[in-house]
Amino acid sequence: MAKEKLIVFDTTMRDGEQSPGASMTKEEKIRIGRQLERMRVDVIEAGFPAASDGDFDAVQAVAKIVKDSTVCGLARANEKDIQRCGEAVRVARSPRVHTFIATSPIHMEKKLRMEPSQVIAQAVRAVKWAREYTDNVEFSPEDAGRSDIDFLCRILEQVIKAGATTINIPDTVGYTLPDAFGGLIRSLRERVPNSDKVVWSVHCHNDLGLAVANSLSAVLNGARQVECTVNGLGERAGNASLEEIVMAVRTRQDVFPCDTHIDATQIVPASRLVSGITGFPVQPNKAIVGANAFAHEAGIHQDGVLKSRDTYEIMRAQDVGWIANKLVLGKHSGRNAFKVRLSELGIVIESEEALNAAFKRFKDLADKKHEIFDEDLQALISEEASDHLENEHYHLVALTAHSETGESPFAKIVVTEDGRERSAEAQGSGPVDASFKAIESIVKSGAELLLYSVNNITSGTDSQGEVTVRLSKSGRIVNGQGADTDIVVASAKAYINALNKLHSKLERLNPQV
Ligand code: KIV
Ligand code: ZN
């Protein structure tokens, strides 16, 4: 008998983007949107259109491009937000407006300063406004995990009557436990009139490390949409991880009465794309997408796996998209092969000029590194895109770094600042430290370095190092990335990329604030 469908709602580009430093440009959102569509995600929440003109444009661009997934935008329960959201998504083949208002006593009293009856009235109005743009309307009672169930039943009855078609129950602060959360979904489905007319959805945060467990418990209690993010990206400790939900449901079909339509072989490429774009590395022991997720180190395990794979493996690495690094291109590959491979990776370069610039960068890389893998191409394109930020203020021209045992490391840097060339030298505890100090002596940003991390993009010592630098200044946090076969150069690029983001003042408004 065919199983019921579990709808996968990806919010990497909305809730995921709310992680400090994870903001994405329009081009980056388009690339992620294409990859999510390729993975057969059912609903893509592309952003929060009322947050800024930039986010409106990004959501609209994703809505125009994506054809096979529903494209959704988030809106607070007010007319202006819903109007912006409706306008951004209405160009989609299948649009959805997602509106929310808080329902927990603490949020209603301290944040909204509204009486419960006013909250119900506002929620009903919001759903009706949203229905003017589309008949696909999702409603979320924010902080449902700490809301009173009787109040939830009252408000949900009213929003269903007003035309909501999906009811999403968020555990906004990641407070609930699996049994209780599953029980909440079951009770709501039993108690809310017309509950069978809507899809029940859940949206769990990971503050106690329970987002996936809570979501799965909800699925066992009748939820048929799960909101999740690639790599579990999201506010604070993140959201439920898409890859873990999809693979748990798929691997334990003996337990779940439903399954997703996700093409799981696209999971690892999606994980890499999101990690590359946001600069949030994936921990090696992360389930499904961590570098060690399928590595059997212990001799006893290796022996077992060699004799019979299922002694220790419950999933196959290739089923989630782990393939041996595929050599795709090299020094002698032509422009056309380059373009074709990019499009196979879902990367479409619109203009000839941009393609030529990317191809030149590829040739430069191929001179240094003979084998170019998909991961190299992804990094190269991310870098090319960030170098062409309209507001690129600083640009790395040249870097010389020197380190020798017993000597103090030293770096000389040349950058352009708004087109004007400037240079500086500095010493540091290592060549990376010296180059950051040299850059800072020119830029004088005063930003605080919150994180510095290096990952190799592929294996081998000739691999490119991908560096993430997180900077904080005046309450804003940005991530910069840089990749190069020389990690000192990659580090300087990442630092400059972060400085450009700080300089661009690209603000994102957090809808939950
Ligand atoms: O966590 C949350 O409550 C949200 C809602 C806007 C769905 O992200
Ligand atoms: Zn959330």
Side-chain angles (χ1 to χ4, degrees), residues 11 14-15 18 170-172 203-205 235 239 512:
T11 183
R14 198 279 299 169
D15 216 323
Q18 287 172 213
D171 179 19
T172 304
H203 174 111
C204 297
H205 279 271
E235 286 258 13
N239 288 62
Q512 280 150 297

Side-chain angles (χ1 to χ4, degrees), residues 7-16 32-33 36 39 41-47 70 72 225-231 240-243 262 270 274:
I7 298 168
V8 175
F9 176 116
D10 178 278
T11 183
T12 307
M13 295 196 278
R14 198 279 299 169
D15 216 323
I32 293 178
L36 295 176
M39 191 160 57
V41 159
D42 302 286
V43 186
I44 298 174
E45 188 165 56
T70 294
C72 175
Q225 173 177 288
V226 191
E227 301 200 354
C228 46
T229 56
V230 173
N231 299 337
S241 129
L242 178 147
E243 55 279 4
I262 291 291
V274 168

Side-chain angles (χ1 to χ4, degrees), residues 480-499:
Q481 290 90 47
D484 201 280
T485 47
D486 179 329
I487 59 162
V488 184
V489 175
S491 304
K493 285 181 180 174
Y495 195 77
I496 288 174
N497 182 232
L499 289 172

Side-chain angles (χ1 to χ4, degrees), residues 144 147-154 156-157 160 167 169 178-196 198 200 202 217-223:
S147 299
D148 172 61
I149 184 155
D150 293 335
F151 181 62
L152 282 178
C153 289
R154 277 170 57 210
L156 296 179
E157 175 180 0
I160 293 173
I167 297 295
I169 304 300
D179 275 356
F181 194 62
L184 173 65
I185 301 304
R186 177 171 294 274
S187 302
L188 290 173
R189 289 181 52 237
E190 282 167 3
R191 290 181 50 185
V192 174
N194 292 317
S195 71
D196 56 332
V198 293
W200 289 84
V202 287
S217 171
V219 172
L220 290 172
N221 284 284

Side-chain angles (χ1 to χ4, degrees), residues 430-489:
V432 171
D433 187 47
S435 60
F436 284 13
K437 285 190 170 129
I439 296 170
E440 201 48 41
S441 74
I442 298 173
V443 169
K444 299 194 175 43
S445 76
E448 187 190 351
L449 179 72
L450 298 183
L451 174 130
Y452 169 77
S453 85
V454 191
N455 278 307
N456 53 342
I457 294 182
T458 53
S459 52
T461 50
D462 73 339
S463 161
Q464 292 196 86
E466 189 170 45
V467 175
T468 302
V469 164
R470 186 173 302 157
L471 296 181
S472 155
K473 189 175 174 194
S474 315
R476 291 184 63 214
I477 299 178
V478 295
N479 276 326
Q481 290 90 47
D484 201 280
T485 47
D486 179 329
I487 59 162
V488 184
V489 175

